[in-house]
Amino acid sequence: MADDGGGAKRLKTAEGGKDGVVTAEEVELLRKRIAELESETEQLRRGGRQEGDHEVLPVVTEVNVTVSTTVDLSRVTMGIVTHISSFLASSRELLDLAMTCKAFGWRQPMSTLTWSLVEEVARQSVCLRATDAEMGCLPQYTRGTATWLSILHRYEHRLMFDVLLGGYIEHRNGDKTAVYVTGAAGPNYSVAVSSSYVMKSGAHYAEFLITGEPYIGIVRPMPGLYAGAHQEGDFFFISDTSCYPNFCAQRSDDWGESEVHAIDFSCGDGTMSFTAWDENVNDDANDIEWDGMESCQSGDTVGMLLNLDEGTLAVYKNNRRLGVMRDGLSGPYCWYVNLHKHQTFSDAVSIKRGTLPDSDGATTA
């Protein structure tokens, strides 16, 4: 193939269209097709100008003949971008997207959304994945205070020990899903509460991986006690009668008719303890035997199923149902654990969402 005066390459032609050779007839058909594509591109460009100015990108297509055309970006709508963004797996990835440019992370004046593209994707993700009961446990969207991205993050990581009470408890290596008791040999009691996940209705299931002989249970949400309260010395919900007036001062109408304000399962001997935070009640509410009681040991996983539709708290050991420990429950509760520093070992617990054993039909939480 030789260069002509214009510097372009001639197309070789031959009769019969042999392999590797383009015939004159094929060249003519290709030129007609190019003309059709250019005409269609011009129509799209005119349509884009009618809807507003849109950026177009040049595209080079090479099929033996080099042709320049354009792609109209007016067809890449906000809905398409939102749908593509929805395939991002986590709130962290959406945050990374928001930080790439203002178009994703900031609300656009010309957009029909009342928030940014990333916020819309986070909102859709929460609404599609969370049940009604879970939505009731999440913070409400408030412009400038609780973003949909923060709500999605809370949904993804809603089980953690975010409140530590007493002077002998710490998170394990900064991991808020795991706590252990510290200090010299006991009796040193401290408490960890998953206060950010308040269970108000429906059924909820969590699993606790234990070391030692901790107590695991539920307690009323008490926001007024969590701002730096009870950070020194021993602390426990069930038996510290000196704290009962402070606890009851947090009462709200949401608590309902149940007088069980804190209840736990002893991993040491399987007994149950509960309290109404009434100073006039004797110790009969401590170390109660029940039909499914069974002791646990280090390495066991204790499952707790709180069904507020039925008012029951059931206990599982390594995915085996021990039974309903308490009924007649109503109102909101949070998960909590009580840890003890023993003479020869220390308690530790980690919390996570559990896969509910078959036939119970509860929401994992």
Side-chain angles (χ1 to χ4, degrees), residues 202-222:
H204 307 263
Y205 187 75
E207 290 184 339
F208 303 82
L209 178 62
I210 69 166
T211 298
E213 299 176 352
Y215 297 85
I216 299 172
I218 55 175
V219 67
R220 296 296 192 190
M222 297 177 290

Side-chain angles (χ1 to χ4, degrees), residues 4 10 21 47 50 68 112 120 146 161 164 171 175 181 205-207 243 277 307 347 352:
D4 58 15
R10 289 195 184 121
V21 180
Q50 292 176 356
S68 293
T112 58
E120 172 62 12
F161 295 119
L164 305 183
H171 290 115
D175 180 4
V181 69
Y205 187 75
E207 290 184 339
C243 294
W277 291 335
N307 190 328
D347 293 339
K352 71 173 184 178

Side-chain angles (χ1 to χ4, degrees), residues 113-130:
L113 298 177
T114 58
W115 37 67
S116 69
L117 179 141
V118 165
E119 280 285 271
E120 172 62 12
V121 174
R123 184 193 70 82
Q124 292 181 9
S125 180
V126 172
C127 294
L128 286 174
R129 294 161 58 184

Side-chain angles (χ1 to χ4, degrees), residues 69-256:
T69 185
T70 56
V71 175
D72 187 0
L73 292 184
S74 65
R75 294 199 169 193
V76 182
T77 65
M78 181 65 72
I80 294 175
V81 177
T82 301
H83 180 70
I84 294 173
S85 302
S86 69
F87 288 96
L88 296 175
S90 67
S91 57
R92 179 63 191 180
E93 291 177 335
L94 285 175
L95 178 61
D96 290 341
L97 177 63
M99 295 178 67
T100 59
C101 68
K102 294 180 180 180
F104 295 144
W106 289 15
R107 179 175 180 266
Q108 301 302 300
M110 300 302 293
S111 172
T112 58
L113 298 177
T114 58
W115 37 67
S116 69
L117 179 141
V118 165
E119 280 285 271
E120 172 62 12
V121 174
R123 184 193 70 82
Q124 292 181 9
S125 180
V126 172
C127 294
L128 286 174
R129 294 161 58 184
T131 65
D132 291 342
E134 290 171 335
M135 289 292 288
C137 298
L138 294 170
Q140 298 299 308
Y141 170 82
T142 305
R143 186 180 301 279
T145 303
T147 65
W148 280 110
L149 194 59
S150 67
I151 295 172
L152 175 61
H153 179 77
R154 176 71 61 83
Y155 176 81
E156 294 170 338
H157 305 90
R158 63 188 179 279
L159 280 188
M160 65 180 71
F161 295 119
D162 54 337
V163 172
L164 305 183
L165 303 172
Y168 310 103
I169 191 168
E170 294 181 3
H171 290 115
R172 178 75 70 183
N173 298 323
D175 180 4
K176 289 190 176 183
T177 67
V179 289
Y180 70 103
V181 69
T182 63
N188 296 335
Y189 285 95
S190 290
V191 165
V193 185
S194 181
S195 70
S196 61
Y197 186 68
V198 180
M199 299 169 285
K200 299 179 180 179
S201 62
H204 307 263
Y205 187 75
E207 290 184 339
F208 303 82
L209 178 62
I210 69 166
T211 298
E213 299 176 352
Y215 297 85
I216 299 172
I218 55 175
V219 67
R220 296 296 192 190
M222 297 177 290
L225 295 178
Y226 293 161
H230 305 288
Q231 299 301 311
E232 301 295 334
D234 291 326
F235 183 87
F236 37 86
F237 285 120
I238 300 295
S239 302
D240 191 352
T241 58
S242 64
C243 294
Y244 284 5
N246 291 335
F247 297 163
C248 286
Q250 306 301 315
R251 175 188 282 274
S252 70
D253 293 339
D254 293 339
W255 285 16

Side-chain angles (χ1 to χ4, degrees), residues 16-46:
K18 296 180 181 180
D19 292 342
V21 180
V22 180
T23 66
E25 182 180 359
E26 289 172 336
V27 170
E28 184 61 27
L29 289 174
L30 184 59
R31 287 173 175 165
K32 289 182 179 180
R33 181 55 182 156
I34 292 171
E36 292 173 357
L37 291 173
E38 290 177 341
S39 175
E40 181 178 348
T41 299
E42 181 61 26
Q43 292 177 7
L44 291 173
R45 187 182 294 110
R46 291 174 181 174

Side-chain angles (χ1 to χ4, degrees), residues 294-308:
E294 186 175 316
S295 64
C296 303
Q297 60 185 3
S298 295
D300 284 342
T301 296
V302 176
M304 302 289 283
L305 170 60
L306 175 64
N307 190 328
L308 289 170

